[in-house]
């Protein structure tokens, strides 16, 4: 009887250990989702029909960049979903655990421990994730014998349940030793990918984009350094938004961009440069048909983009719509009707952002008024940039910066007036005091 009791006791003690072996890391979305690369999630699976308590269990990486203390339980043949940051990472599916921390797209070592600290499962993928795709956002899934790439299946059976099932490949497949096929994502040479607008004009604000493209991912967080090539230098801790910048002067600049994992690293992970040409905005204008239309000439050998530029006239104001381009050496006529104006008399064109202001007028001998030889003046004298001004003809051409109107200094007169008023007031008070005393 004692022997039977001892055997039962030993069996009961060993049951949790047996159950532990049935909980596995089943699916890993280390690349995030289509919505965001930060929307990472991990799924555990219970391959046994008996529920297992996960209270006190831990799932962590070798470097503890992710360190999760689990809670609750996982049902028999069920799944346990861990979502990063919040419960919107996987839409319409409730997370069993919310965690913080990020998985590196270059690889990690995942360790699953039970409540005694014993290692239940250890997956060493520090060199490279064996499956998953950053382009299609397909996840890394366990098919019963190997890791495969497939469409995400949170809290559901994976793409494959046996090694003989064909996976839905995207590009290249590789035969494994057991005869199954495993998707191998195409290798990408790490590089900096620039995204700049064109053409670029001095005195105008633009958005400059650059991405650090690694072997299987695009890194949005870290330490990013910009050098605009004109003495300006910027650092950012995330790369989710482009850099807004305005070049003050035309010229050819070399823009540099570098990615570091942290501000403490001395050597960048990736860096790159791109040469850009910043042009001086230059157009000629003339009014035709007594204000019924405006002719704009591009005398340069570059395309001029008027998108978002302002047009002010004596009859009202408007903005040139997006994708308004003038080809090199081209002349474009804008009717007042198409611009939704009654007339374009008194026309002035402004760039969308502050930077410089010009007003140069040429003598007129015809019915039309022509504006040429645009120069710049101090950028601080106006809140926007005037490129051309149609006005009444004058005899002399001015190419000098327009001086701001001078104002007289009345400070001394004001102070003198205050002093006189104060003295008069004191005398009146003294007179009243003497009268009352008498």
């Amino acid at each position: 009887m004692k022997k039977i009791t001892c055997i039962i006791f030993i069996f009961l003690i060993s049951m949790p250990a047996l159950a532990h072996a049935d909980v596995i890391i089943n699916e890993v979305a280390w690349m995030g989702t289509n919505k965001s690369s930060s929307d990472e999630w991990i799924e555990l699976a219970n391959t046994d029909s008996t529920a297992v308590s996960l209270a006190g269990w831990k799932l962590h990486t070798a470097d503890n960049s992710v360190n999760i203390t689990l809670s609750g339980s996982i049902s028999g043949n069920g799944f346990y979903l861990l979502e990063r940051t919040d419960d919107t990472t996987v839409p319409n599916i409730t997370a069993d655990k919310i965690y913080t921390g990020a998985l590196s797209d270059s690889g990690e070592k995942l360790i699953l421990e039970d409540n005694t600290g014993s290692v239940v499962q250890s997956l060493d993928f520090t060199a490279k994730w064996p499956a998953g795709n950053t382009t299609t956002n397909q996840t890394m899934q366990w098919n019963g014998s190997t890791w495969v790439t497939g469409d995400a299946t949170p809290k559901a059976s994976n793409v494959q349940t046996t090694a003989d099932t064909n996976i839905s490949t995207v590009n290249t497949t590789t035969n494994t030793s057991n005869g199954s096929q495993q998707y191998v994502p195409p290798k990408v040479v790490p590089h900096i990918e620039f995204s700049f607008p064109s053409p670029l004009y001095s005195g105008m604000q633009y958005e400059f984009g650059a991405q650090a493209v690694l072997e299987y991912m695009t890194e949005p967080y870290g330490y990013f350094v910009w050098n605009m090539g004109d003495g300006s230098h910027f650092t950012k801790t995330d790369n989710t938004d482009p850099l807004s910048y305005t070049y003050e002067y035309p010229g050819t600049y070399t823009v540099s961009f570098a990615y570091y994992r942290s501000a403490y690293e001395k050597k960048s992970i990736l860096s790159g440069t791109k040469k850009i040409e910043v042009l001086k905005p230059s157009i000629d204008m003339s009014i035709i048909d007594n204000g019924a239309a405006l002719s704009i000439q591009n005398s340069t050998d570059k395309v001029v983009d008027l998108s978002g530029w302002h047009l002010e006239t004596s009859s009202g104001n408007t903005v040139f719509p997006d994708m308004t381009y003038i080809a090199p050496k081209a002349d474009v006529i804008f009717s007042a009707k198409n611009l939704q104006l009654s007339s374009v008399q008194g026309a002035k064109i402004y760039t969308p952002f502050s930077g410089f202001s010009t007003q140069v007028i040429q003598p007129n001998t015809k019915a039309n008024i022509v504006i040429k030889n645009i120069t710049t003046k101090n950028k601080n004298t106006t809140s926007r940039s005037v490129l051309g001004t149609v006005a009444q003809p004058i005899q002399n051409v001015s190419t000098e910066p327009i001086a701001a109107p001078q104002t007289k200094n009345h400070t001394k007169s004001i102070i003198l007036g205050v002093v006189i008023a104060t003295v008069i007031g004191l005398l009146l008070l003294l007179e009243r005091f003497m009268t009352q005393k008498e």
Side-chain angles (χ1 to χ4, degrees):
M1 183 65 180
K2 289 182 179 181
K3 185 180 291 187
I4 295 174
T5 303
C6 184
I7 292 173
I8 294 174
F9 179 74
I10 293 173
F11 176 75
L12 291 174
I13 291 176
S14 64
M15 280 186 65
L18 293 174
H20 292 177
D22 296 324
V23 178
I24 62 170
I25 299 171
N26 191 54
E27 187 172 0
V28 182
W30 53 263
M31 74 300 299
T33 65
N34 290 325
K35 182 180 178 182
S36 172
S37 60
S38 299
D39 285 344
E40 300 170 357
W41 54 273
I42 305 171
E43 179 192 76
L44 305 180
N46 185 0
T47 60
D48 190 74
S49 59
T50 304
V52 176
S53 173
L54 298 179
W57 284 45
K58 286 187 177 182
L59 175 63
H60 63 93
T61 58
D63 60 1
N64 284 320
S65 59
V66 173
N67 194 335
I68 314 167
T69 300
L70 308 182
S71 59
S73 62
I74 181 170
S75 61
N77 298 316
F79 303 97
Y80 187 95
L81 181 62
L82 302 96
E83 298 185 27
R84 178 183 172 186
T85 307
D86 53 50
D87 200 16
T88 62
T89 298
V90 181
N92 304 320
I93 299 180
T94 302
D96 295 291
K97 187 71 178 180
I98 305 295
Y99 70 93
T100 58
L103 298 173
S104 172
D105 284 11
S106 59
E108 295 278 10
K109 181 178 181 179
L110 297 175
I111 303 169
L112 180 64
E113 299 176 354
D114 63 17
N115 55 2
T116 67
S118 300
V119 176
V120 176
Q121 188 177 21
S122 178
L123 304 174
D124 192 351
F125 302 136
T126 51
K128 184 178 67 174
W129 295 106
N133 190 307
T134 56
T135 303
T136 62
N137 291 107
Q138 290 176 297
T139 61
M140 182 179 83
Q141 304 177 26
W142 180 250
N143 73 346
S145 60
T146 189
W147 291 99
V148 298
T149 300
D151 294 336
T153 60
K155 283 201 169 184
S157 299
N158 289 344
V159 172
Q160 291 180 292
T161 55
T162 65
D164 296 329
T165 305
N166 292 325
I167 65 172
S168 55
T169 60
V170 178
N171 284 316
T172 309
T173 58
T174 301
N175 291 327
T176 59
S177 57
N178 58 11
S180 64
Q181 289 184 316
Q182 180 178 355
Y183 171 72
V184 178
K187 187 174 181 179
V188 176
V189 177
H191 65 282
I192 300 297
E193 193 172 276
F194 291 98
S195 176
F196 292 173
S198 180
L200 295 167
Y201 299 110
S202 59
M204 296 180 60
Q205 188 181 65
Y206 295 97
E207 291 187 343
F208 296 85
Q211 290 183 328
V213 181
L214 303 182
E215 190 173 357
Y216 295 114
M217 51 95 62
T218 299
E219 182 57 64
Y221 297 101
Y223 192 71
F224 304 90
V225 178
W226 285 88
N227 188 317
M228 305 308 291
D230 63 346
S232 298
H233 182 266
F234 304 95
T235 59
K236 299 172 64 178
T237 56
D238 69 78
N239 198 37
T240 55
D241 297 316
L243 176 71
S244 296
Y245 188 70
T246 302
Y247 280 95
E248 295 186 49
Y249 303 102
T252 301
Y253 300 95
T254 299
V255 180
S256 302
F257 179 84
Y259 160 63
Y260 300 77
R261 290 196 184 277
S262 71
Y264 305 102
E265 292 185 346
K266 295 182 178 180
K267 185 178 180 180
S268 63
I269 303 299
L270 279 177
S271 64
T273 60
K274 183 177 178 65
K275 186 172 74 173
I276 61 171
E277 184 179 7
V278 179
L279 308 173
K280 175 184 176 181
S282 178
I283 58 173
D284 301 329
M285 296 193 309
S286 60
I287 290 176
I288 59 178
D289 292 342
N290 296 320
L294 179 67
S295 175
I296 299 180
Q297 302 88 36
N298 175 13
S299 58
T300 70
D301 58 356
K302 304 288 185 181
V303 174
V304 171
D305 182 4
L306 293 182
S307 304
W309 291 24
H310 300 264
L311 173 64
E312 293 188 0
T313 70
S314 56
S315 65
N317 307 328
T318 189
V319 175
F320 289 100
D322 289 341
M323 299 182 292
T324 302
Y325 304 107
I326 302 181
K329 309 295 183 181
D331 185 351
V332 177
I333 297 177
F334 297 87
S335 71
K337 180 180 178 181
N338 289 343
L339 295 172
Q340 298 181 348
L341 298 169
S342 59
S343 172
V344 293
Q345 290 287 3
K348 297 179 182 180
I349 290 182
Y350 298 84
T351 59
F353 303 93
S354 62
F356 61 92
S357 177
T358 65
Q359 185 177 11
V360 181
I361 306 172
Q362 177 171 307
N364 176 53
T365 58
K366 300 179 180 179
N368 293 334
I369 302 172
V370 180
I371 307 304
K372 290 184 178 294
N373 302 324
I374 297 174
T375 60
T376 64
K377 73 172 183 177
N378 192 319
K379 67 176 183 178
N380 295 322
T381 62
T382 182
S383 61
R384 288 186 296 173
S385 306
V386 184
L387 291 190
T389 304
V390 176
Q392 295 301 320
I394 61 176
Q395 296 301 315
N396 296 320
V397 179
S398 170
T399 58
E400 296 297 325
I402 301 176
Q406 299 295 319
T407 58
K408 293 183 179 180
N409 190 343
H410 299 286
T411 304
K412 292 182 180 180
S413 299
I414 293 172
I415 294 174
L416 182 59
V418 171
V419 171
I420 294 173
T422 303
V423 171
I424 293 173
L426 290 174
L427 290 174
L428 292 174
L429 288 174
L430 180 61
E431 181 182 1
R432 180 177 296 179
F433 175 76
M434 295 300 294
T435 301
Q436 291 176 353
K437 188 175 182 180
E438 292 175 356

